[in-house]
Amino acid sequence: MKSFINVEDIGDLRQALVEAQEIKNDRYKFQHLGKNKTLMMIFFNNSLRTRLSTQKAAMNLGMNVIVLDVNAGAWKLETERGVIMDGDKSEHLLEAIPVMGCYCDLIGVRSFAGLIDREYDYAETVLQQFIKYSGRPVFAMETATVHPLQAFADLITIEEHKVVERPKVVLTWAPHCRALPQAVPNSFAQWMNAADVDLVITHPEGYELDPKFVGNARVEYDQKKAFEGADFIYAKNWSNPGVTNPADYGKITSKDMSWTVDTEHMSWTNNGKFLHCLPVRRNLIVTDDVIESPNSLVIPEAANREISCSVVIKRMLEAL
């Protein structure tokens, strides 16, 4: 595996889940793969779970780890070609990337959407430059449009807690005070489409995700109808994807608090489990009583980030 961005990159999903359980049973079983190998983690944006889980996974596999915060511990980087660099950016990404590649064996990149230019964001401009110029295998630690490590962990969690063979999984939009990217819901939809689940996506009209991620999922604008009989509820805010109206891209076009997941919402489900990628704005996305309930899986879900990342790094090390 030379790159990891989308669900197709993982190959056979059932085998990947088996491998995840194998690693969970013995997290240090494959330490020999990473001996004398180095992972470089590059962060253009803040992180808690991704930083900690990815570093832990690499260490479990015997790797050395270098962490670079681009905005805190390096020269400011220019990402555009043809720019006269007479501002505050001292180094161009096209020189920085191959230099980074000299010091490591694998690269993880985290770079969020700007939410201004949809074409630029959805082209994954920054990530693609790392793939093209680093000379190293590259995996996404969340990008402008996807967060595959999170979605893989979500799937592992669902597999561990499902009580029916083909559970009903609902991805629901919820209100937020800031404009957030679509990376998490995009990847969640993509991975659930690839898995054996009944996926329903619910959101206010105008918040339609890109069709390439929605896939075969059923879109239901009535949140109550969507929740009925659900086994898992995955709550997540996203800003307007600009699919129906490109001028709305990255904007907050709804703050409807009736979409906040509370006890009444969960009562519509089939004793449904609650999922969220974290961090979560309490009483905006979800109420205290729901996230603190026995049916909340947010902590096991976060713990599985170490497992999903371990599988990905293991596969990349095996391909070196």
Side-chain angles (χ1 to χ4, degrees):
M1 189 162 61
K2 293 296 185 182
S3 62
F4 176 72
I5 306 171
N6 297 306
V7 67
E8 299 85 24
D9 299 324
I10 203 71
D12 186 292
L13 202 52
R14 181 54 53 185
Q15 180 56 41
L17 289 167
V18 169
E19 208 165 309
Q21 188 57 55
E22 182 182 12
I23 288 173
K24 201 163 190 177
N25 292 338
D26 183 356
R27 296 166 198 245
Y28 308 103
K29 182 176 180 179
F30 302 100
Q31 277 192 330
H32 60 283
L33 292 175
K35 184 178 180 181
N36 297 328
K37 300 288 193 304
T38 299
L39 167 66
M40 180 173 288
M41 299 163 58
I42 301 162
F43 291 88
F44 289 85
N45 300 89
N46 295 335
S47 173
L48 189 151
R49 276 149 298 276
T50 297
R51 179 189 296 260
L52 298 179
S53 61
T54 306
Q55 187 164 353
K56 183 67 165 61
M59 293 167 65
N60 290 351
L61 291 164
M63 299 190 78
N64 302 310
V65 180
I66 299 172
V67 179
L68 177 64
D69 285 297
V70 171
N71 297 319
W75 302 112
K76 288 187 177 181
L77 296 176
E78 178 58 64
T79 60
E80 297 288 339
R81 304 181 82 105
V83 174
I84 297 174
M85 293 175 57
D86 58 356
D88 64 343
K89 296 178 179 179
S90 307
E91 187 162 8
H92 202 286
L93 206 58
L94 294 183
E95 284 78 62
I97 289 173
V99 168
M100 294 175 194
C102 294
Y103 306 140
C104 63
D105 300 279
L106 303 180
I107 295 177
V109 179
R110 183 176 177 92
S111 178
F112 290 176
L115 297 179
I116 297 172
D117 183 338
R118 189 181 193 279
E119 184 177 349
Y120 180 88
D121 287 344
Y122 274 71
E124 292 291 4
T125 306
V126 172
L127 179 69
Q128 291 300 330
Q129 288 185 82
F130 274 92
I131 292 172
K132 185 174 182 178
Y133 298 113
S134 69
R136 303 296 181 194
V138 175
F139 63 92
M141 300 191 301
E142 187 168 5
T143 72
T145 67
V146 292
H147 197 350
L149 292 174
Q150 179 65 54
F152 188 12
D154 298 334
L155 178 58
I156 293 169
T157 308
I158 289 170
E159 285 292 308
E160 290 175 333
H161 292 89
K162 69 182 185 181
V163 294
V164 295
E165 187 59 31
R166 191 170 189 268
K168 180 179 179 180
V169 179
V170 177
L171 169 62
T172 180
W173 178 92
H176 203 281
C177 53
R178 295 179 57 202
L180 300 182
Q182 300 100 45
V184 169
N186 282 346
S187 275
F188 185 77
Q190 184 185 56
W191 283 69
M192 292 303 111
N193 270 305
D196 189 20
V197 306
D198 176 17
L199 176 63
V200 178
I201 302 174
T202 185
H203 53 72
E205 292 194 42
Y207 271 81
E208 291 78 11
L209 296 170
D210 193 299
K212 72 179 180 181
F213 297 111
V214 173
N216 296 320
R218 177 165 61 91
V219 176
E220 174 57 69
Y221 296 107
D222 185 322
Q223 194 183 27
K224 185 174 183 179
K225 286 183 180 178
F227 274 48
E228 288 174 353
D231 300 291
F232 295 91
I233 299 296
Y234 196 102
K236 184 70 180 78
N237 173 267
W238 59 90
S239 61
N240 197 303
V243 173
T244 57
N245 185 359
D248 285 337
Y249 176 65
K251 295 180 180 178
I252 298 174
T253 51
S254 176
K255 292 185 178 181
D256 188 348
M257 290 292 288
S258 70
W259 285 77
T260 300
V261 179
D262 59 15
T263 301
E264 182 184 358
H265 285 72
M266 295 304 291
S267 73
W268 304 333
T269 71
N270 180 31
N271 193 32
K273 305 294 192 297
F274 178 81
L275 297 163
H276 188 278
C277 62
L278 301 182
V280 65
R281 300 264 184 160
R282 285 181 175 228
N283 303 305
L284 197 57
I285 298 289
V286 58
T287 55
D288 290 333
D289 51 347
V290 171
I291 198 169
E292 294 175 10
S293 77
N295 279 15
S296 174
L297 298 178
V298 296
I299 303 306
E301 183 183 4
N304 277 330
R305 289 293 307 278
E306 176 188 341
I307 306 305
S308 65
C309 193
S310 295
V311 173
V312 170
I313 295 176
K314 172 183 173 290
R315 295 268 185 101
M316 288 190 152
L317 288 170
E318 289 172 334
L320 289 178

